[in-house]
Amino acid sequence: NEHKGLRILDFGGGIGFTYYQTICGLPRTEGVEYHIVERESVCKAGMEFFETTQSRPFFYSELPQADGEFDIVHSGSALHYVEDWKQLVSRLCALSRQYLLLVDITAGNIPTFATAQHYYGSKIPAWFFDIEELLFAVGSCGHELIFKSVYESTILGGKQNMPMQNFEEKYRLKQACNLLFKRSGNE
């Protein structure tokens, strides 16, 4: 944000934990706008949490409509919970003026499939992605992969591989990943 403001969209950003980490990590925060898209109840909790702070994120229960509005579009630990994930990827890419950052993406050299995730006594529908299919979906929206890393999962209080022993070998994914894309043609 050396030249002008910086606009960030965080899809599935909760009450703003990543906002707080981002703001604390920047040398200056003037001109930084941080927008979070979440469920309505989470937005309400986030607004209450930041009610007395000078600097705060904006909360929305739906994605904005205007394309190219954000310098950085971020989604952490959320894409795998969206039924029509390809449409969401397309929409996130359209909103991104420059970068798309996907964190904790359950993708690898496996076939794409959906399953029920056991989450502390609940079952939540969740996707696991063929990495090539995901890269193609983002690439066809005009973004190219510029960085990939392993996402170190903390499961039940410790760092470990994903517990997928109940799946056939071809569906097992040891770790999720982080993917950073840049809009093609942006230098």
Side-chain angles (χ1 to χ4, degrees):
N1 67 346
E2 296 171 3
H3 309 303
K4 56 181 176 164
L6 178 66
R7 292 178 52 104
I8 301 169
L9 176 71
D10 189 352
F11 177 82
I15 64 167
F17 296 119
T18 303
Y19 163 77
Y20 184 73
Q21 293 169 332
T22 301
I23 293 301
C24 289
L26 292 174
R28 33 181 278 262
T29 59
E30 313 83 54
V32 175
E33 288 184 21
Y34 200 95
H35 302 258
I36 296 173
V37 177
E38 256 298 352
R39 293 183 205 173
E40 200 166 316
S41 60
V42 177
C43 289
K44 184 178 180 206
M47 287 186 273
E48 289 173 7
F49 181 78
F50 286 100
E51 189 173 47
T52 60
T53 62
Q54 223 174 358
S55 174
R56 65 181 68 113
F58 300 94
F59 288 91
Y60 307 94
S61 58
E62 293 182 16
L63 283 170
Q65 294 304 309
D67 290 349
E69 262 198 77
F70 300 93
D71 300 295
I72 301 168
V73 173
H74 169 265
S75 181
S77 306
L79 182 63
H80 52 274
Y81 296 122
V82 177
E83 185 175 353
D84 192 349
W85 64 269
K86 287 182 181 179
Q87 180 189 13
L88 176 62
V89 162
S90 176
R91 191 71 201 113
L92 294 177
C93 286
L95 290 166
S96 164
R97 185 178 310 142
Q98 193 162 12
Y99 295 102
L100 173 65
L101 176 59
L102 303 176
V103 175
D104 187 14
I105 297 297
T106 52
N109 294 323
I110 58 171
T112 297
F113 70 97
T115 187
Q117 176 185 0
H118 293 266
Y119 185 77
Y120 299 100
S122 299
K123 290 184 181 179
I124 305 168
W127 285 101
F128 287 79
F129 306 104
D130 173 335
I131 188 75
E132 294 303 321
E133 183 179 0
L134 179 59
L135 293 177
F136 180 80
V138 177
S140 65
C141 294
H143 285 69
E144 58 187 313
L145 182 67
I146 61 171
F147 180 78
K148 178 184 176 193
S149 67
V150 170
Y151 177 82
E152 298 225 7
S153 300
T154 302
I155 301 169
L156 300 173
K159 291 193 188 303
Q160 58 182 295
N161 290 338
M162 290 186 182
M164 297 185 72
Q165 299 80 359
N166 57 315
F167 291 98
E168 289 179 43
E169 186 79 30
K170 71 178 184 178
Y171 293 107
R172 291 182 193 170
L173 184 65
K174 290 184 180 180
Q175 296 172 308
C177 60
N178 304 313
L179 305 169
L180 176 61
F181 300 87
K182 185 173 185 179
R183 181 174 287 283
S184 300
N186 279 0
E187 298 304 321

